[in-house]
């Protein structure tokens, strides 16, 4: 059974990872956020966009608990900052998604709640279930992984990194 301190601790860890990611885009222009600095297709704006989309879809999966695939979950454009995207709008979406995730987790009676997973092209025949805890841990891992990517992109962009900026 989930304790309130477990929810608090996991949400704090998630907030810390989000804060580290946000350091990499602090003070950047839209052009800088859209710039590729490595052989990867990833850009700082694309990472923010992807993580916002990821939080939105996983929060829907967790709260709806209907096993349905949320709109946009498989949209591969979520990894790219489109010409029509602005960094302030992407950051607003990211912050909004974070608030929605935190509110959804706080409203759960327990992190042991079992959530049916949607069927995806990579799913096993029976996609199964994850606990709300595992979904939250997945979001933390995904954010930490991409915060590392963002740090490398940022360092290649202007020599800065999150370790020096903390």
């Amino acid at each position: 059974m989930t304790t309130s301190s477990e929810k608090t601790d996991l949400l704090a860890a998630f907030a810390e990872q989000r804060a580290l990611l946000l350091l990499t885009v602090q003070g950047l222009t839209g052009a800088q956020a859209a710039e590729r600095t490595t052989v990867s297709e990833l850009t700082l704006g694309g990472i923010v966009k992807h993580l916002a989309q990821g939080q939105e879809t996983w929060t829907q999966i967790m709260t709806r608990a209907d096993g349905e695939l949320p709109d946009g979950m498989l949209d591969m454009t979520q990894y790219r900052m489109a010409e029509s995207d602005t960094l302030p709008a992407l950051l607003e979406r990211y912050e909004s998604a974070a608030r929605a995730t935190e509110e959804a987790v706080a409203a759960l009676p327990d992190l042991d709640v079992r959530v049916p997973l949607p069927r995806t092209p990579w799913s096993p025949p029976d996609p199964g279930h994850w606990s709300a805890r595992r979904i939250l841990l997945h979001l933390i891992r995904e954010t930490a992984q991409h915060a590392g990517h963002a740090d490398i992109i940022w360092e290649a962009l202007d020599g800065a990194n999150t370790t020096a900026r903390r």
Side-chain angles (χ1 to χ4, degrees):
M1 175 164 217
T2 304
T3 64
S4 62
S5 64
E6 180 186 19
K7 278 187 187 181
T8 301
D9 289 347
L10 289 174
L11 288 173
F14 194 19
E16 182 178 339
Q17 291 306 312
R18 288 193 314 270
L20 287 173
L21 172 78
L22 291 174
L23 280 176
T24 67
V25 296
Q26 196 172 58
L28 294 186
T29 66
Q32 289 172 311
E35 187 177 334
R36 285 181 54 201
T37 62
T38 68
V39 296
S40 170
E41 293 286 328
L42 289 175
T43 65
L44 293 171
I47 289 171
V48 172
K49 185 176 182 177
H50 164 61
L51 289 173
Q53 175 77 20
Q55 282 184 92
E56 290 165 353
T57 56
W58 280 104
T59 298
Q60 286 178 28
I61 290 167
M62 184 172 48
T63 57
R64 290 183 185 168
D66 60 7
E68 295 296 318
L69 189 68
D71 288 339
M73 186 172 184
L74 304 181
D75 179 5
M76 293 298 111
T77 64
Q78 68 179 287
Y79 295 93
R80 291 179 186 81
M81 187 172 172
E83 284 186 31
S84 60
D85 290 331
T86 67
L87 184 57
L90 291 175
L91 290 171
E92 184 178 312
R93 180 180 177 193
Y94 185 61
E95 303 254 352
S96 176
R99 279 190 307 277
T101 301
E102 288 177 351
E103 290 168 4
V105 169
L108 289 171
D110 197 294
L111 290 178
D112 292 324
V113 169
R114 295 192 42 82
V115 178
L117 297 177
R119 187 169 302 283
T120 61
W122 55 84
S123 296
D126 178 16
H129 294 76
W130 278 3
S131 67
R133 178 184 295 100
R134 184 164 177 191
I135 290 172
L136 183 56
L137 289 169
H138 172 73
L139 287 169
I140 293 168
R141 185 211 49 84
E142 183 82 1
T143 303
Q145 177 182 3
H146 286 305
H149 294 147
D151 207 29
I152 291 168
I153 293 167
W154 187 35
E155 190 167 359
L157 184 65
D158 70 2
N161 63 59
T162 55
T163 302
R165 196 163 212 190
R166 280 192 198 184

